[in-house]
Amino acid sequence: MAFTLPELPYAYDALQPHMSAETLEYHHDKHHKAYLDAMTPMIQGTEYESMDIEGIVKKSYSENPKLFNQAGQFYNHVHFWKWMKPNGGGRSLPGALESQINSDLGSFDEFRTKFIDAGKTQFGSGWAWLAMKGGKLVVMNTPNGENPLVHGGVPLLGVDVWEHSYYIDYRNLRPKYLETWFDNLVNWDYVAELYEKAR
């Protein structure tokens, strides 16, 4: 399969003041594109060339770490842009998703705390996730480009805690970035869409 850099689903300045146009431009146009540009020649002429991105991520995780680093991050960012929207966040979740969050994670507030803590406590670069694993919702964090796919789960929501995701806007204040991101940018409609597929 030939992969392309997905366009942002909103303008560069659409997430301000919570995420600047400068951050989005660098993050999408430079960082995401760099993962694609590095991954593309690695899969050409190999068995990976005919696979979808999920298949490449899962297979390369154990068999080709150099490819995985690029494919994992390419995959993560394809979803990351959709996990955000202007005027996102809030507490209005589709009923089934909210019910399972309450059942598996205690309450929406407990989930919020666990999710933000997962991002705060991820040492170095990585991601924090809400994932479906074994029919249950779990909060987890992963280093570098890893994601729930390679740990037996399905990612439903992920936040990038690599410094390129927040340093222009928040400098070293990762906790402030995470709280702002969760409360103001999360696209719960997309989370619910992924949740329904994973159920």
Side-chain angles (χ1 to χ4, degrees):
M1 294 180 69
F3 297 100
T4 57
L5 185 69
E7 292 189 12
L8 289 175
Y10 31 71
Y12 288 120
D13 62 358
L15 303 183
Q16 294 183 152
H18 313 297
M19 186 174 286
S20 67
E22 184 181 8
T23 287
L24 268 180
E25 197 166 344
Y26 269 92
H27 198 168
H28 175 269
D29 295 9
K30 303 289 194 289
H31 290 281
H32 197 183
K33 184 175 185 298
Y35 301 128
L36 172 65
D37 290 347
M39 176 182 75
T40 300
M42 290 185 188
I43 64 174
Q44 285 174 347
T46 73
E47 61 186 321
Y48 292 104
E49 194 169 23
S50 62
M51 300 171 72
D52 62 19
I53 189 62
E54 289 86 355
I56 294 172
V57 168
K58 291 177 183 177
K59 186 174 177 61
S60 65
Y61 179 64
S62 58
E63 297 183 10
N64 189 332
K66 286 184 178 178
L67 172 57
F68 173 76
N69 287 339
Q70 308 303 326
Q73 281 288 78
F74 177 74
Y75 169 85
N76 292 351
H77 285 83
V78 166
H79 290 285
F80 184 61
W81 314 126
K82 297 179 188 175
W83 279 321
M84 299 185 289
K85 70 175 185 178
N87 304 308
R91 308 172 66 93
S92 178
L93 310 188
L97 175 60
E98 184 174 26
S99 295
Q100 188 155 0
I101 285 174
N102 292 338
S103 173
D104 294 345
L105 300 171
S107 67
F108 181 83
D109 289 333
E110 286 182 66
F111 159 54
R112 178 185 181 276
T113 298
K114 288 173 183 171
F115 186 86
I116 291 170
D117 282 349
K120 282 160 53 174
T121 58
Q122 173 55 47
F123 183 74
S125 298
W127 293 73
W129 304 96
L130 173 68
M132 181 75 82
K133 193 171 181 181
K136 296 275 192 184
L137 293 179
V138 297
V139 172
M140 58 193 292
N141 53 17
T142 58
N144 302 316
E146 289 183 26
N147 58 53
L149 283 181
V150 300
H151 297 288
V154 178
L156 306 181
L157 175 65
V159 62
D160 189 346
V161 293
W162 286 59
E163 286 188 341
H164 63 233
S165 188
Y166 63 88
Y167 207 81
I168 290 171
D169 301 327
Y170 297 92
R171 299 303 183 217
N172 63 328
L173 301 178
R174 186 191 284 188
K176 184 181 178 187
Y177 157 68
L178 287 163
E179 291 165 4
T180 302
W181 188 89
F182 189 93
D183 292 338
N184 298 282
L185 294 178
V186 173
N187 181 357
W188 290 114
D189 292 330
Y190 187 58
V191 178
E193 184 184 319
L194 296 177
Y195 169 72
E196 290 301 327
K197 289 179 187 171
R199 287 173 76 186

Short mmCIF file of all heavy atoms in Angstrom, two decimals, residues 13 16 22 33 38 62 70 85 88 105 107-108 126 134 141 148-149 165 171 177 188 194:
data_model
loop_
_atom_site.label_atom_id
_atom_site.label_comp_id
_atom_site.label_asym_id
_atom_site.label_seq_id
_atom_site.Cartn_x
_atom_site.Cartn_y
_atom_site.Cartn_z
N ASP A 13 -4.56 27.12 12.68
CA ASP A 13 -4.85 27.97 13.85
C ASP A 13 -6.16 27.60 14.55
O ASP A 13 -6.60 28.30 15.46
CB ASP A 13 -4.88 29.44 13.43
CG ASP A 13 -5.98 29.77 12.42
OD1 ASP A 13 -6.70 28.84 11.99
OD2 ASP A 13 -6.11 30.94 12.04
N GLN A 16 -6.13 26.99 18.52
CA GLN A 16 -5.69 28.06 19.41
C GLN A 16 -6.82 28.45 20.36
O GLN A 16 -7.97 28.34 19.98
CB GLN A 16 -5.21 29.27 18.58
CG GLN A 16 -3.97 28.95 17.78
CD GLN A 16 -3.41 30.14 16.99
OE1 GLN A 16 -2.25 30.18 16.75
NE2 GLN A 16 -4.24 31.09 16.58
N GLU A 22 1.84 27.33 15.08
CA GLU A 22 3.25 26.97 14.91
C GLU A 22 3.50 25.52 15.32
O GLU A 22 4.19 24.77 14.62
CB GLU A 22 4.14 27.91 15.73
CG GLU A 22 5.63 27.66 15.52
CD GLU A 22 6.52 28.57 16.35
OE1 GLU A 22 5.99 29.31 17.21
OE2 GLU A 22 7.74 28.52 16.16
N LYS A 33 5.49 14.01 8.69
CA LYS A 33 5.99 13.76 7.35
C LYS A 33 7.33 13.01 7.40
O LYS A 33 7.60 12.13 6.57
CB LYS A 33 6.16 15.07 6.58
CG LYS A 33 6.60 14.88 5.12
CD LYS A 33 6.63 16.20 4.39
CE LYS A 33 6.95 15.99 2.91
NZ LYS A 33 8.27 15.39 2.67
N ALA A 38 10.60 8.31 6.16
CA ALA A 38 11.55 7.27 6.58
C ALA A 38 10.96 5.88 6.39
O ALA A 38 11.67 4.93 6.01
CB ALA A 38 11.94 7.48 8.04
N SER A 62 8.05 -6.74 16.57
CA SER A 62 8.94 -7.81 17.02
C SER A 62 10.01 -8.18 16.01
O SER A 62 11.02 -8.78 16.35
CB SER A 62 8.11 -9.07 17.35
OG SER A 62 7.37 -9.48 16.21
N GLN A 70 9.32 4.10 12.91
CA GLN A 70 8.70 5.02 11.95
C GLN A 70 7.21 4.70 11.75
O GLN A 70 6.36 5.60 11.76
CB GLN A 70 9.44 4.97 10.61
CG GLN A 70 10.94 5.16 10.71
CD GLN A 70 11.35 6.46 11.38
OE1 GLN A 70 10.68 7.47 11.25
NE2 GLN A 70 12.47 6.43 12.09
N LYS A 85 -10.17 18.41 18.16
CA LYS A 85 -11.03 19.26 17.33
C LYS A 85 -11.20 20.60 18.02
O LYS A 85 -11.04 20.71 19.25
CB LYS A 85 -12.40 18.59 17.11
CG LYS A 85 -13.29 18.53 18.34
CD LYS A 85 -14.67 17.97 17.97
CE LYS A 85 -15.62 18.01 19.16
NZ LYS A 85 -16.96 17.52 18.80
N GLY A 88 -13.22 21.18 21.56
CA GLY A 88 -13.37 19.79 22.01
C GLY A 88 -13.40 19.71 23.52
O GLY A 88 -13.66 20.69 24.22
N LEU A 105 -13.42 2.18 34.91
CA LEU A 105 -12.42 3.12 35.44
C LEU A 105 -12.93 3.94 36.62
O LEU A 105 -12.23 4.81 37.10
CB LEU A 105 -11.96 4.06 34.31
CG LEU A 105 -11.31 3.34 33.11
CD1 LEU A 105 -11.08 4.32 31.95
CD2 LEU A 105 -10.00 2.69 33.51
N SER A 107 -15.17 6.40 37.25
CA SER A 107 -15.99 7.56 36.89
C SER A 107 -15.23 8.36 35.84
O SER A 107 -14.04 8.11 35.59
CB SER A 107 -16.26 8.45 38.10
OG SER A 107 -15.06 9.06 38.54
N PHE A 108 -15.90 9.33 35.24
CA PHE A 108 -15.22 10.18 34.27
C PHE A 108 -14.07 10.91 34.93
O PHE A 108 -12.98 11.02 34.36
CB PHE A 108 -16.20 11.18 33.64
CG PHE A 108 -15.55 12.07 32.62
CD1 PHE A 108 -15.38 11.66 31.31
CD2 PHE A 108 -15.09 13.34 32.98
CE1 PHE A 108 -14.76 12.47 30.36
CE2 PHE A 108 -14.48 14.16 32.04
CZ PHE A 108 -14.31 13.73 30.73
N GLY A 126 6.89 9.59 24.59
CA GLY A 126 5.93 8.50 24.52
C GLY A 126 4.51 9.01 24.40
O GLY A 126 4.27 10.14 23.97
N GLY A 134 -9.04 -6.84 26.10
CA GLY A 134 -9.79 -7.93 26.71
C GLY A 134 -11.22 -7.55 27.08
O GLY A 134 -11.76 -8.03 28.07
N ASN A 141 0.36 3.88 29.42
CA ASN A 141 1.31 4.72 28.70
C ASN A 141 2.36 3.83 28.06
O ASN A 141 2.56 2.68 28.44
CB ASN A 141 1.94 5.78 29.60
CG ASN A 141 2.57 5.23 30.86
OD1 ASN A 141 2.82 4.04 30.98
ND2 ASN A 141 2.83 6.09 31.82
N PRO A 148 -1.09 0.75 22.01
CA PRO A 148 -1.80 -0.44 22.50
C PRO A 148 -1.86 -1.60 21.52
O PRO A 148 -1.99 -2.76 21.94
CB PRO A 148 -3.21 0.10 22.81
CG PRO A 148 -2.98 1.54 23.16
CD PRO A 148 -1.89 1.98 22.22
N LEU A 149 -1.77 -1.34 20.22
CA LEU A 149 -1.82 -2.43 19.23
C LEU A 149 -0.79 -3.51 19.52
O LEU A 149 -1.06 -4.69 19.32
CB LEU A 149 -1.56 -1.89 17.82
CG LEU A 149 -2.66 -1.15 17.08
CD1 LEU A 149 -2.16 -0.75 15.70
CD2 LEU A 149 -3.92 -2.01 16.97
N SER A 165 5.32 17.92 20.71
CA SER A 165 3.88 18.11 20.75
C SER A 165 3.47 19.32 21.60
O SER A 165 2.36 19.83 21.43
CB SER A 165 3.20 16.85 21.31
OG SER A 165 1.80 16.95 21.20
N ARG A 171 6.47 24.91 26.99
CA ARG A 171 7.83 24.70 27.48
C ARG A 171 7.90 23.39 28.25
O ARG A 171 7.53 22.36 27.73
CB ARG A 171 8.31 25.90 28.31
CG ARG A 171 8.35 27.20 27.52
CD ARG A 171 9.23 27.09 26.30
NE ARG A 171 9.33 28.36 25.57
CZ ARG A 171 9.38 28.44 24.26
NH1 ARG A 171 9.32 27.36 23.52
NH2 ARG A 171 9.48 29.62 23.66
N TYR A 177 -0.03 21.11 29.79
CA TYR A 177 -0.40 20.69 28.43
C TYR A 177 -1.43 19.57 28.46
O TYR A 177 -2.45 19.63 27.76
CB TYR A 177 0.86 20.25 27.69
CG TYR A 177 0.65 19.30 26.52
CD1 TYR A 177 0.02 19.71 25.34
CD2 TYR A 177 1.12 17.98 26.60
CE1 TYR A 177 -0.14 18.83 24.27
CE2 TYR A 177 0.96 17.10 25.53
CZ TYR A 177 0.32 17.54 24.37
OH TYR A 177 0.16 16.65 23.33
N TRP A 188 -14.42 13.68 21.31
CA TRP A 188 -15.08 12.50 21.87
C TRP A 188 -15.88 11.73 20.82
O TRP A 188 -16.11 10.53 20.96
CB TRP A 188 -15.96 12.88 23.06
CG TRP A 188 -15.17 13.31 24.25
CD1 TRP A 188 -15.12 14.55 24.82
CD2 TRP A 188 -14.29 12.49 25.03
NE1 TRP A 188 -14.26 14.55 25.89
CE2 TRP A 188 -13.74 13.30 26.04
CE3 TRP A 188 -13.91 11.14 24.96
CZ2 TRP A 188 -12.84 12.80 26.98
CZ3 TRP A 188 -13.01 10.65 25.89
CH2 TRP A 188 -12.48 11.47 26.89
N LEU A 194 -14.29 4.89 17.40
CA LEU A 194 -13.31 3.81 17.58
C LEU A 194 -13.80 2.81 18.63
O LEU A 194 -13.59 1.60 18.49
CB LEU A 194 -11.94 4.39 17.98
CG LEU A 194 -11.27 5.28 16.95
CD1 LEU A 194 -9.97 5.85 17.51
CD2 LEU A 194 -11.00 4.53 15.65
#
